[in-house]
């Protein structure tokens, strides 16, 4: 589904990613982990086309999309929920969702995100900027799902979220993975959340992949070496 090979990315003269390889198969949930500042967000931004690769390739669904614009990638089926959610704060929940339909949405209605996150239904007329962090996160995920993606990339969806809503987000991701067969690339530092959901893990350090494998093989020494603060 998503195949990243030999990816180098730089901000000006400052190189951030060094020869990164990463694969997400159809129907698979891969958790990308690592300490702050190791390049996880940069990798997702390059995969969606917000940053350009200096070297290497990004292939999606068998097609090389390395030179594609971000909107073309979105129309092809790459969904993206950025860190910080980036909803429209002055639009209502319903207007935020309808903006996705106006952009590159392929859903027939707003039903799917409201079924996944029923807590949003009574908030449809409320401005996005007054929602709690958890409500904004549900809205951001629901908005991305309205594009009917084949791959959903989420950048730290549990950051600053209360535990009860983390469980709702976990249940929704498990459902879209199992029922829809959606591939998911998840950047996450909440280890328990990742272990419950992910099929595979990828750990980054200093802009490179340093460990990867089935989630069941994740060992305490890896966590201490690469994830513990």
């Amino acid at each position: 589904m998503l195949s990243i090979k030999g990816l180098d990315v730089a901000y000006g003269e400052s190189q951030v990613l060094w020869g990164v390889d990463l694969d997400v198969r159809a129907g698979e949930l891969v958790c990308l982990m690592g300490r702050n500042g190791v390049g996880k967000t940069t990798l997702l931004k390059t995969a969606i086309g917000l940053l350009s690769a200096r070297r290497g390739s990004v292939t999606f669904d068998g097609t090389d999309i390395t030179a594609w614009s971000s909107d073309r990638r979105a129309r092809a089926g790459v969904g993206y929920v950025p860190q910080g959610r980036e909803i429209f704060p002055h639009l209502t929940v319903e207007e935020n969702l309808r903006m996705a339909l106006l952009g590159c949405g392929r859903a027939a209605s707003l039903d799917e995100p409201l079924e996944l996150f029923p807590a949003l239904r009574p908030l449809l007329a409320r401005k996005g900027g007054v929602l709690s962090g958890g409500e904004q996160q549900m809205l951001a995920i629901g908005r991305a799902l309205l594009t009917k993606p084949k791959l959903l990339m989420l950048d730290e969806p549990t950051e600053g979220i209360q535990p009860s809503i983390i469980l709702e987000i976990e249940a929704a991701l498990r459902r879209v993975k199992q029922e829809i067969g959606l591939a998911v690339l998840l950047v996450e530092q909440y280890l328990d959340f990742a272990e419950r959901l992910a099929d595979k893990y990828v750990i980054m350090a200093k802009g490179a992949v340093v460990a990867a494998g089935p989630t069941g093989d994740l060992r305490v020494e890896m966590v201490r070496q690469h994830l513990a603060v």
Side-chain angles (χ1 to χ4, degrees):
M1 180 59 65
L2 177 70
S3 182
I4 293 171
K5 299 297 182 187
L7 195 66
D8 289 356
V9 178
Y11 294 93
E13 296 302 314
S14 178
Q15 188 162 334
V16 177
L17 299 184
W18 301 81
V20 171
D21 293 338
L22 184 145
D23 291 289
V24 184
R25 298 174 184 171
E28 187 174 61
L29 194 152
V30 176
C31 183
L32 180 62
M33 296 183 285
R35 295 188 178 96
N36 290 335
V38 300
K40 304 184 302 294
T41 294
T42 296
L43 181 59
L44 261 60
K45 285 184 174 181
T46 307
I48 192 60
L50 296 174
L51 295 172
S52 299
R54 173 178 283 181
R55 195 175 292 106
S57 64
V58 179
T59 302
F60 176 67
D61 209 12
T63 301
D64 188 332
I65 64 170
T66 311
W68 286 17
S69 62
S70 56
D71 61 297
R72 187 178 178 188
R73 298 184 200 206
R75 287 193 297 271
V78 182
Y80 176 52
V81 180
Q83 188 177 24
R85 300 171 285 270
E86 295 187 15
I87 62 163
F88 297 104
H90 300 297
L91 299 183
T92 66
V93 169
E94 182 174 2
E95 289 167 340
N96 268 275
L97 293 172
R98 293 198 179 280
M99 284 295 291
L101 293 180
L102 288 172
C104 56
R106 285 182 287 270
S109 69
L110 304 182
D111 290 342
E112 183 177 323
L114 296 179
E115 288 174 3
L116 279 173
F117 299 115
L120 289 178
R121 196 176 291 276
L123 305 176
L124 285 173
R126 190 169 299 180
K127 295 289 181 67
V130 302
L131 301 180
S132 70
E135 290 164 346
Q136 289 185 6
Q137 188 65 69
M138 291 189 289
L139 175 57
I141 295 171
R143 183 178 61 181
L145 290 173
L146 285 172
T147 68
K148 292 290 184 181
K150 299 174 185 177
L151 167 72
L152 180 62
M153 302 191 300
L154 303 103
D155 196 348
E156 299 206 25
T158 66
E159 184 179 32
I161 305 300
Q162 66 190 59
S164 61
I165 295 186
I166 289 176
L167 293 176
E168 289 186 54
I169 292 172
E170 179 182 335
L173 292 179
R174 183 173 286 109
R175 183 176 170 186
V176 297
K177 177 179 177 292
Q178 294 175 347
E179 297 181 11
I180 305 173
L182 193 63
V184 180
L185 177 56
L186 170 70
V187 170
E188 185 54 62
Q189 297 203 56
Y190 181 17
L191 191 59
D192 289 345
F193 181 83
E195 287 182 319
R196 291 194 300 265
L197 278 175
D199 300 299
K200 294 193 315 189
Y201 72 91
V202 176
I203 299 177
M204 292 183 64
K206 297 181 180 179
V209 172
V210 293
T215 305
D217 292 346
L218 187 58
R219 297 290 179 256
V220 172
E221 55 269 23
M222 297 180 192
V223 173
R224 287 175 177 167
Q225 183 178 358
H226 300 296
L227 302 177
V229 176

